[in-house]
Each structure stands twice: as structure tokens, then as C-alpha cells.
Amino acid sequence: MRPVSPDLLAELTRPAVIPAVAVCLGPLGVESPRWDWRQLAAEPGPAGPHDAVELRGGVLLRARLTADGAIATQRLSDPLTAPVGAWTTWTVLQPAGSADPTGPLLLTSRSDQGRARLFWVEAAGRTIRWQETADGLTWSPAGTVASFAAPARVVGLAGDDRAGADLLIIGLDGGGADPDDGLWACAWTGGGWGAPVAEGVMRAGLSGLAAGAQGSGLLVLLADRGPAGEARLVLQTVGPGPAWGTPRSLRQAAPESGRIFGGLQVRPPTTAFPRYLYGFVERSEAAARPFLAVTPVADWLTEVVPLADAAPVGERVIRWSGPGEVWLRLSARRVWLSQAGLPLELSRRVWALASHLPRQRAERLDLWLDDRDGALTAERVPLGAQVSLGLGYHLPGGTVIVWQPPWWVVEREPVMGRPGRVLRLRCTGPWGWLERYRAADTVQVPGLTAGEWLQRCWWRVCGQVVSGRLHPALDRVIPDLAVLPGEDWAGLARRLCQAAGVTLRFATRSDLPDGLGLAAVEAGVVDLQAGPVAAFGAAGQPRLRRARWRRQGGRATHVVVWGAAGLADAADWESLRALGRRIAQTTIDRQVSGTAVQERAAREVLSLAPPAGWVEVLPHPGLEVGDSVAITDSLAGLSQAPFLIEAITVRYERWGPLRFVQRLDLRRPVVTGEEG
């Protein structure tokens, strides 16, 4: 149950109450930012090597290579107010012939020191040069970082000074004929660049390199070819020294696919955006398709977002530090902007609402909003926007609300009629989104526990990743689990929970003023056999408005689960006595190991019987699906044992005979102990 204040609990026992409904809408996406790109500027000509960084005070600095080997820079003090002409005005920093026109170009910045560094490769492709600026207007004389002998060529440069790493990563490719092929790192010593230090891994077909500040070092993303010729995206870490870490594969493409990766970008989490951001271009003989990917864990690159009209050499995506949620997409010739609007307070516009939350199934929320002024346009209330819903009451000491699980808009429908123009929003919750998300490729990670797999399901709708154990029943390792293309993540989450005998549920953090943001969404697993958290019906308790109950046998009265530890079973003794016969069900799951875990799985199968009744009460905003409640009204005759909440339905109307009502679909916990 969600935390509820004593004053609010006392209000539930009063004969007359004043309901309070809070609704806020934020233009925030699920899993990743809700990018809505619009083009700001475009120039004719091919897109070549290019980079961009943000300086102190929100200044944007860009650099690009031209076809004749010149380097040009651009400085904009405010990207949001810059005129179109400013995006197409460049200043030549290095003349023609200074740089390899096809070679890498890198900009790094460190805002606390108010400086940026520019790196490029001379025309011969073996000497790395650099310059420094404090404001993007005046630059230091060019210096040399390092030089390499033939046949090696510098094909990649990467670095990020935001965390003070002061490291430069260099990628060499001599066509497979040079033992120096691979990665090298140079560290800034205060007076100059130190000697390059090799990773010690010979890499073939190096086609991309990027790095992002992480701690006191760098997280490096590289594209190369593996021993069998497969195209790979690989992660590596570099610490002070420089000291190299252990590489690990992030994504692969079979040799026969003809694909190759390039145009890389990596951005580790920050306080403002606590997610890893990856960018890469997947090239084939037919096309080059750029992608962006967002993930809470560095190695979990399972979902990607394709970009339309993107540069085939890759782009730089920057989350600008100005007000609001502002993102910039920049290539050498074009610029896009994605700017989210501010959160909307919609509480005063709510005419009515109806929500339905079943256990571990797709949720549904319908909101009817007053739009007589026509202010709720598609731009202000877009599809995919996050909705926070708070339920509570107006108390003598003030209004108290409790945030309900999160919602996202999936359908909008303007309706004309009485009392005027109304906007109906259809929303879905975390389980609804997990049913919509389907794996694009096979996902198979050996050695993960059931709890780690469950987190791989829920992080798509949740800002929370738990480092410790979730539940003892989820500690088992599942060696052969694979998510196949087209399989939805909700189905996997349900199977994992059923095998462990637990329920996964989502919530909104109660300490947030508007309940919005990915970090506001929390997830957790609960054991359904806990004691009651609320009671209805008796004196001093919230009263029942209506109730309906029926007794019926379950789909099965005896369940046997065959797993890695042999068999385990559970019986519904109450149904066995009532029906007088054994209705057997056998489940085979070799991934379930341990007698205790198999018994929990058997009990969970028994619990899948449909709800046998419901009660209508004054809405209790703290109740959650999976909670246990007691029905103590003597007329109902249901006080023998507590009930589990299988679904919660809430209806609210600003005017009407039943302004505020909550329906709880209930079932009895299955008694599975020894008979007698």
C-alpha cells in the first residue's frame, strides 16, 4: 500500500467528503526522451566530419572539415534565439590542406574551466594536431599530440573532458598489416600530452570511435570486426594513467549481413539526464541508417530509435543546458531542434475520469477535459506525453492527494457537444507499454538471474535500477532464456513473476510535486501472501457502498510443476472439498530450480482463477493491486479471511450521483497448506 496520512484515512470514514483530483501532463516520453525534431537550418553540399560541444553559459561551438582539408568553426551564444543565418555562417580556423578531409575531427569541452579543445589529423593521416579556446573566439597556436609511422593511419579520435578526464583516445588502422592497429590513449600531464599507451588488442576494420566522461575516466564506444568478420559495437573503459579496462561486446551483425557500424556517439549518465545515450550508423550495401539508443545500464543496448533524414556519417546529439527539455541534432550541413513544452496543470479542466488497473495486465485511463477555450492543442497535449494522476480529498487543514501509478497518452479525441468542447484522452500505464514494446532482435544474455531479467523488462517504463536483490525467489540464474523477435516484454515479465510466485507493480514517487518524469516511476515486487493493509465495513472503518460475491471452483485444484529439481505441487484444499474432485494441471519449466521456488510457482498458477467478487467503496488512494484487505461488514458475510485485490477501478465525475467511487475486484488467497 502507498503511504497515506492519518488525516486522509480518517476522512474515509466520514459520511460526507469533498474529493480532490490532480492531473498534470508532461511532454515526456517512455524509455527515452520524446524527441520531436524540426529542422532549423540546412546547407547544400555533402556532410563531412563534424563535431559540436556546449561551452560555459550555454554557448554552442561547432567545427567541421571541408572537402579541401580546411577547418571551419561556428559559435552561437544561444541556439534557441539564433537567426537562421547564424547557423550557416562559418569562420575558417585552419586553411585548405591542413587536415585529412576524410579523417576524424573532435571537439571536447570542460565548462568548469571554461575551455574547449579541437583535435584533427594532418593530411598524411598520421599526425594529430590540436588547439584550445576559452570562448570559441580566440584560439591558441596549434600543437602536436602524437605522430605514428606508416602504414598506420589515424581513423578515430575520441575524448570528453567534462569530468576532468583529460584523455584522448586514438584509433589506428593500417589495413591489417600493422601490429599497432587498435586503440591508443594519451593523457594530458599539465604541460603537454604524454606518450600514447596501447590497449594491447589488435583490432581489424576499425570504423568508428567515441567516448564519454565517466567518473575520472572515459567510457569508450568503438566499431570494429570480430574474429569471424562480424561487425561489432564494443565498450571499453580508460582510467587515469591511462589504464585500459576489459572490453565487452554491445551489439553484433553477422558477416553475411554486409553491415558495418560507424558515426558513433556515447554519453554516460548525468544528473540532468540519468541515462546512457548511444548514437551509431548502421551501413549496408543498400542504405545507411542512423540510430539513437537510451539505456540505464551501459551494457543493455536492446532498443534503438531510427532517425529520419539523418547524415550517413553520424550526428552529434546534445542535451542543451538551457531551460526546459531542449535537444540539438547537428551534422556538418543541417541542424535539428527538439524542444519539449512545460508541464501542464490540468486539474481544473477534469470533467470526469475512469481508470482500470488489473494485476499485471494493460491498464486503461480515460480523461474528459474541459477544452472550451481550445487551448489543449495537439502540440500542448501530444501523443506519448506522460500523465500523473493524484487522488485524495479536501481536508479542513488543506488538500491531500496521493499519486497513482503513471500514465501515458495513447489516444486523443476532441468531442463537441454538451457542455461544449471536451478533449478525451485515452492513456495506458506501464504494463500497457510493456505489452506494446516488442523485441526487434533476439536478446540472449547468459548468466542473468530472474531478477536481472525482470529489470531488463521494467526499465523501459521506469527510472529505477536496483543494484541489490529484488526478492529471494528471483535469485535463480536462468541459463538459456532468450527473448525472440516480436515477443513483448510484458509476457516475459509475467512468466518470471509467475515462476517466482511474486507480483510486479509500479508506482509514482510520493515526494514529487507534480509526479512527472522518468525518475518518478518506481517498480517493485511483492509477495501476495501478506496480511491485510485495510479493512472496510465495520464501525470506524470506511463503509461498503455495494458488494457482490460468488463462490466457484478454480480452474485447477491441484497443480504440479516439473522443474530442474524434479516435481513440486500445490493443492487448493477449499476448492477440493467444495467440488469433491481433483482438477489437475501440470506445468513443465526446466528454468525453475529448487523445490521451494517450484512450490511458489505452483501456488501462483492456482491463484490465476478469475475474481470471485467485488466491493464498491469511497476511493482509498493508498490501495494497490496485490494488496490484501479485510471485509468486516456483518451483512456481507465475508469476514472469514482477507481478500487479495485483483483489479482497481476508479470513477470520478465533477457532477453526478456517484461523484467518486472505487471498485475493488477481489479473490480469496488460495489455501495450499497441508489438509487438515
Side-chain angles (χ1 to χ4, degrees):
M1 186 176 78
R2 290 179 285 269
V4 177
S5 69
D7 291 342
L8 193 148
L9 289 176
E11 190 73 8
L12 297 177
T13 64
R14 301 182 187 277
V17 296
I18 304 176
V21 173
V23 175
C24 296
L25 182 139
L28 308 168
V30 185
E31 176 188 3
S32 63
R34 189 183 172 277
W35 289 305
D36 186 13
W37 302 109
R38 62 181 178 89
Q39 186 168 282
L40 292 181
E43 296 180 71
H50 162 272
D51 207 353
V53 293
E54 183 180 346
L55 304 180
R56 179 186 294 174
V59 174
L60 183 69
L61 180 64
R62 302 172 68 197
R64 73 180 183 186
L65 286 173
T66 62
D68 58 1
I71 300 176
T73 62
Q74 182 184 97
R75 181 186 185 276
L76 295 97
S77 57
D78 187 345
L80 295 185
T81 60
V84 175
W87 292 101
T88 58
T89 302
W90 295 83
T91 301
V92 175
L93 179 65
Q94 292 291 335
S98 300
D100 179 358
T102 63
L105 184 75
L106 173 67
L107 272 172
T108 65
S109 68
R110 187 169 178 184
S111 59
D112 62 337
Q113 295 184 1
R115 63 152 170 84
R117 290 170 176 164
L118 173 66
F119 301 87
W120 72 93
V121 181
E122 286 190 343
R126 298 182 180 91
T127 300
I128 303 168
R129 303 280 283 170
W130 75 291
Q131 284 184 268
E132 188 173 272
T133 181
D135 54 10
L137 297 173
T138 58
W139 293 80
S140 67
T144 299
V145 177
S147 294
F148 297 88
R153 289 185 62 87
V154 179
V155 296
L157 295 173
D160 188 348
D161 294 342
R162 283 178 299 167
D166 277 347
L167 292 168
L168 177 66
I169 310 302
I170 304 164
L172 297 183
D173 187 356
D178 193 332
D180 290 340
D181 285 2
L183 301 185
W184 297 73
C186 291
W188 177 257
T189 61
W193 292 96
V197 177
E199 179 194 19
V201 178
M202 188 172 179
R203 298 192 176 276
L206 194 64
S207 57
L209 188 62
Q214 182 170 263
S216 58
L218 295 176
L219 178 68
V220 179
L221 177 66
L222 63 106
D224 68 355
R225 289 202 174 274
E230 70 277 14
R232 304 186 303 182
L233 287 178
V234 180
L235 282 180
Q236 174 63 284
T237 56
V238 185
W244 291 93
T246 302
R248 59 231 194 240
S249 179
L250 188 65
R251 191 178 181 90
Q252 294 188 10
E256 58 270 18
S257 69
R259 291 186 289 178
I260 188 172
F261 298 113
L264 306 185
Q265 178 181 356
V266 57
R267 184 184 186 278
T270 62
T271 303
F273 186 68
R275 282 286 198 264
Y276 290 88
L277 174 67
Y278 294 112
F280 62 93
V281 177
E282 191 174 278
R283 300 189 184 94
S284 65
E285 294 182 359
R289 171 65 70 186
F291 292 92
L292 287 179
V294 176
T295 172
V297 179
D299 296 4
W300 289 7
L301 183 59
T302 56
E303 305 291 339
V304 296
V305 179
L307 293 176
D309 302 322
V313 296
E315 299 172 342
R316 177 65 66 193
V317 177
I318 295 176
R319 186 183 187 277
W320 190 54
S321 62
E325 187 79 8
V326 179
W327 292 80
L328 293 167
R329 242 179 77 200
L330 307 115
S331 71
R333 299 289 177 177
R334 289 190 287 183
V335 180
W336 293 265
L337 172 73
S338 176
Q339 183 177 12
L342 297 176
L344 288 179
E345 167 58 51
L346 300 175
S347 304
R348 295 182 179 273
R349 293 180 177 267
V350 178
W351 286 104
L353 70 84
S355 67
H356 180 67
L357 290 87
R359 182 160 72 98
Q360 298 189 156
R361 297 288 174 180
E363 312 91 336
R364 186 183 71 252
L365 168 67
D366 285 309
L367 282 171
W368 286 269
L369 304 175
D370 181 0
D371 192 27
R372 286 175 290 183
D373 58 359
L376 302 182
T377 62
E379 290 73 25
R380 299 191 70 194
V381 185
L383 294 178
Q386 184 181 357
V387 174
S388 59
L389 172 64
L391 302 179
Y393 297 91
H394 294 288
L395 308 182
T399 301
V400 178
I401 64 165
V402 178
W403 293 118
Q404 304 300 294
W407 301 92
W408 289 272
V409 179
V410 294
E411 180 182 316
R412 49 172 289 134
E413 180 185 16
V415 180
M416 296 296 294
R418 296 185 62 188
R421 179 184 168 99
V422 175
L423 177 65
R424 183 188 68 85
L425 296 182
R426 168 67 57 86
C427 306
T428 192
W431 280 102
W433 272 115
L434 291 180
E435 289 184 359
R436 288 166 173 251
Y437 274 128
R438 300 181 182 275
D441 301 300
T442 299
V443 181
Q444 189 170 16
V445 186
L448 293 186
T449 66
E452 290 169 331
W453 271 112
L454 194 58
Q455 291 203 64
R456 282 187 171 242
C457 296
W458 85 38
W459 75 259
R460 289 162 173 77
V461 293
C462 178
Q464 174 188 20
V465 175
V466 180
S467 57
R469 70 191 313 196
L470 297 177
H471 192 284
L474 295 169
D475 288 344
R476 59 191 175 89
V477 175
I478 307 179
D480 302 321
L481 180 61
V483 184
L484 302 179
E487 185 175 356
D488 68 81
W489 293 96
L492 174 60
R494 280 192 287 265
R495 294 201 309 271
L496 292 168
C497 290
Q498 179 178 328
V502 298
T503 286
L504 169 64
R505 61 189 186 188
F506 298 89
T508 299
R509 283 175 49 190
S510 59
D511 59 331
L512 297 178
D514 58 9
L516 294 173
L518 197 61
V521 184
E522 297 180 322
V525 293
V526 294
D527 193 325
L528 295 184
Q529 303 303 317
V533 298
F536 296 89
Q541 297 174 350
R543 65 183 180 89
L544 296 183
R545 287 182 169 176
R546 293 196 302 163
R548 187 171 182 174
W549 186 258
R550 63 183 179 274
R551 295 196 64 181
Q552 62 180 12
R555 296 173 181 171
T557 59
H558 184 220
V559 173
V560 176
V561 174
W562 284 90
L567 68 86
D569 69 337
D572 182 352
W573 296 111
E574 182 179 1
S575 294
L576 274 170
R577 284 190 291 267
L579 298 177
R581 66 176 57 244
R582 174 177 177 262
I583 304 175
Q585 179 174 335
T586 300
T587 300
I588 300 175
D589 190 347
R590 297 298 182 186
Q591 295 172 348
V592 178
S593 60
T595 302
V597 175
Q598 291 174 210
E599 289 177 351
R600 292 179 64 92
R603 291 196 298 270
E604 180 67 13
V605 173
L606 284 175
S607 74
L608 297 179
W614 51 263
V615 296
E616 279 191 359
V617 297
L618 192 65
H620 187 314
L623 289 181
E624 298 180 86
V625 173
D627 282 344
S628 177
V629 296
I631 307 301
T632 55
D633 190 310
S634 58
L635 292 178
L638 301 174
S639 59
Q640 299 90 343
F643 295 86
L644 292 176
I645 300 176
E646 282 290 293
I648 299 177
T649 302
V650 174
R651 297 195 304 275
Y652 165 79
E653 297 177 0
R654 187 178 294 185
W655 299 281
L658 288 177
R659 291 184 57 195
F660 204 30
V661 66
Q662 183 180 60
R663 170 171 160 162
L664 307 177
D665 290 351
L666 305 174
R667 69 169 173 84
R668 287 194 186 277
V670 178
V671 180
T672 59
E674 293 296 329
E675 184 179 17

